[in-house]
């Protein structure tokens, strides 16, 4: 997260902070050099996002459009594996590229992976959900939805080829490790004002939430039984679930 967004987020509730307060918060959370912090704050003055009043930095109303918005909590699938797959096949001509892109985006959001350009699959029985969407978009004649079962060896090969789960698992592992280190470091940081510790914890929690959701967007949420035994996605989700008690929105 940029220093500018960190500053805007911290000032969002009209809290009274000096430049030195903000510098301490940003350094505690992100370990940024003072020169970078000074440059970022100067940039916010130039863009008229903040101003100084009686020695404190104040957020101006126009800056609120740039602020981080709270996220809706996302569920963890935790679905048991029933050995059902859903396949979507479509033949949408180039002249309807816009609706084709909308369909692909929808399938991706639903956890489907692309087997080929116009063939998408997901290891779950969600055929009815897809059919409802294509009826709304009037695509019944261009999109086919099939349910099927796949042999166990083929399932593993398909998952490995489409979703690159080993890479995602490693990214989840790094996220967990980095997050634990960050919170431990912040816990032992010596603030000159105890109130700054609470603000810093809230800021770090928001940053952590944004980072988790970036990974979550890449996660097909495979059912239990198709995930590896050392799957780090569940550990990352447990951290994400705990962040609400630190966030002051």
């Amino acid at each position: 997260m940029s220093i500018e967004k960190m500053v805007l987020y911290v000032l969002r509730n009209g809290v009274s902070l000096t430049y030195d307060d903000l510098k301490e918060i940003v350094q505690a959370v992100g370990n940024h050099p003072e020169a970078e912090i000074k440059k970022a704050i100067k940039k916010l003055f130039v863009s008229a996002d903040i101003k100084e009043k009686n020695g404190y930095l104040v957020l101006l109303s126009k800056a609120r459009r740039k602020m981080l918005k709270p996220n809706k909590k996302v569920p963890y699938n935790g679905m048991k594996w029933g050995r059902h797959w859903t396949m979507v096949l479509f033949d949408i001509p180039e002249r309807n590229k816009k609706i084709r892109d909308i369909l692909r985006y929808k399938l991706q959001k639903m956890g489907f992976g692309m087997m080929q350009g116009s063939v998408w699959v997901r290891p779950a029985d969600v055929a009815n959900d897809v059919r409802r969407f294509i009826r709304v978009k009037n695509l019944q004649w261009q999109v086919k939805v099939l349910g099927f079962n796949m042999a166990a060896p083929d399932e593993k090969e398909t998952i490995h080829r489409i979703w690159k789960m080993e890479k995602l698992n490693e990214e989840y592992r790094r996220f967990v490790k980095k997050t634990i280190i960050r919170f431990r470091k912040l816990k032992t940081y010596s603030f000159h004002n105890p109130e700054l510790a609470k603000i810093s914890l809230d800021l770090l929690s928001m940053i952590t939430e944004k980072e988790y959701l970036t990974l979550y967007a890449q996660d097909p949420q495979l059912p239990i039984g198709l995930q590896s035994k050392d799957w780090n996605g569940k550990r990352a989700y447990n951290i994400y679930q705990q962040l609400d008690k630190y966030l002051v929105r």
Side-chain angles (χ1 to χ4, degrees):
M1 183 187 296
S2 69
I3 297 174
E4 290 95 327
K5 286 188 175 181
M6 292 169 70
V7 171
L8 293 178
Y9 179 77
V10 166
L11 294 176
R12 75 200 184 286
N13 289 330
V15 61
S16 298
L17 296 171
T18 65
Y19 167 77
D20 287 337
D21 292 334
L22 277 170
K23 180 182 73 173
E24 190 169 357
I25 290 168
V26 173
Q27 286 180 329
V29 171
N31 200 28
H32 295 282
E34 183 175 0
E36 287 184 11
I37 299 171
K38 185 178 285 189
K39 182 179 177 181
I41 291 178
K42 183 179 179 180
K43 189 175 177 181
L44 290 172
F45 272 110
V46 172
S47 60
D49 290 315
I50 63 173
K51 69 176 183 179
E52 187 173 356
K53 185 177 181 181
N54 300 325
Y56 296 101
L57 300 183
V58 178
L59 184 72
L60 297 176
S61 58
K62 64 167 288 189
R64 294 193 176 275
R65 69 179 185 273
K66 302 179 183 179
M67 288 174 53
L68 293 168
K69 301 296 189 296
N71 297 293
K72 293 182 179 178
K73 298 301 285 185
V74 300
Y76 188 79
N77 194 323
M79 228 177 12
K80 290 188 177 180
W81 180 222
R83 311 212 68 79
H84 301 298
W85 285 71
T86 302
M87 176 181 287
V88 177
L89 306 96
F90 55 89
D91 183 14
I92 301 176
E94 183 63 25
R95 65 177 179 274
N96 294 330
K97 181 177 183 296
K98 185 175 180 180
I99 192 67
R100 188 176 63 195
D101 290 343
I102 290 173
L103 176 61
R104 285 175 173 167
Y105 176 77
K106 176 66 174 180
L107 292 174
Q108 190 174 29
K109 292 290 284 183
M110 290 181 67
F112 280 81
M114 186 174 69
M115 184 175 277
Q116 295 176 12
S118 59
V119 181
W120 290 62
V121 296
R122 179 183 170 186
D125 184 7
V126 291
N128 288 336
D129 295 336
V130 181
R131 290 188 181 110
R132 277 193 292 271
F133 175 76
I134 64 176
R135 278 198 299 269
V136 169
K137 297 297 181 181
N138 197 27
L139 293 171
Q140 297 94 317
W141 307 110
Q142 297 168 298
V143 183
K144 299 299 179 187
V145 184
L146 305 172
F148 67 101
N149 292 341
M150 190 184 296
D154 294 333
E155 287 173 348
K156 292 183 179 179
E157 191 278 331
T158 300
I159 288 166
H160 174 76
R161 179 160 55 89
I162 294 177
W163 284 288
K164 307 293 188 295
M165 297 304 288
E166 292 86 352
K167 180 182 177 185
L168 181 59
N169 196 31
E170 175 59 21
E171 289 177 354
Y172 270 135
R173 187 195 67 79
R174 287 199 295 264
F175 166 82
V176 170
K177 182 178 179 181
K178 178 176 68 174
T179 300
I180 291 171
I181 291 173
R182 278 175 166 177
F183 276 85
R184 283 177 178 170
K185 178 185 173 186
L186 187 60
K187 189 176 180 181
T188 59
Y189 194 92
S190 179
F191 290 94
H192 80 275
N193 180 350
E195 286 301 312
L196 299 186
K198 296 178 184 177
I199 297 171
S200 299
L201 185 58
D202 176 65
L203 175 59
L204 180 56
S205 299
M206 172 60 85
I207 293 171
T208 303
E209 182 178 70
K210 293 290 182 183
E211 290 178 351
Y212 172 79
L213 292 176
T214 299
L215 290 176
Y216 181 87
Q218 306 168 38
D219 192 337
Q221 291 291 297
L222 297 178
I224 298 170
L226 286 178
Q227 298 168 349
S228 62
K229 291 181 180 179
D230 62 341
W231 181 240
N232 292 298
K234 182 62 175 176
R235 295 179 65 202
Y237 179 76
N238 289 339
I239 288 174
Y240 166 71
Q241 282 289 84
Q242 293 295 313
L243 295 175
D244 268 351
K245 66 183 179 182
Y246 304 122
L247 285 163
V248 182
R249 289 172 172 167

